[in-house]
Amino acid sequence: MSAADDSRLSTSALAKRLKLPIQQLFVTLRDYGWIERRGKGWALTAKGELHGGEYRDSQRFGRYIVWPD
């Protein structure tokens, strides 16, 4: 893991840092067109990738989205 990876936050961690309810942040990111619902989960859109969103994979949590700090 590089130093750049260390500065990325999961959407849930970003919500905590911003002192927002997690679901409110997910809805806001959806409304901005940065993420969209796919099945039971969330997926990055091209616009979300343009704004720094990336995927991370975890054995414990599966695939999730991270954002620049």
Side-chain angles (χ1 to χ4, degrees):
M1 185 179 280
S2 71
D5 292 332
D6 293 342
S7 66
R8 302 241 170 218
L9 297 171
S10 69
T11 307
S12 299
L14 182 60
K16 287 178 187 176
R17 175 160 298 175
L18 296 173
K19 297 184 170 100
L20 293 172
I22 294 168
Q23 288 305 321
Q24 181 181 339
L25 182 56
F26 275 99
V27 169
T28 299
L29 292 170
R30 182 202 63 201
D31 290 349
Y32 283 174
W34 293 11
I35 60 173
E36 63 187 11
R37 272 305 234 188
R38 288 200 192 141
K40 294 183 180 183
W42 293 100
L44 277 169
T45 63
K47 188 175 181 182
E49 289 178 0
L50 180 68
H51 288 280
E54 295 179 358
Y55 288 108
R56 291 287 185 267
D57 292 299
S58 162
Q59 287 185 338
R60 183 174 177 195
F61 299 111
R63 191 173 214 200
Y64 62 98
I65 299 170
V66 294
W67 303 97
D69 185 17

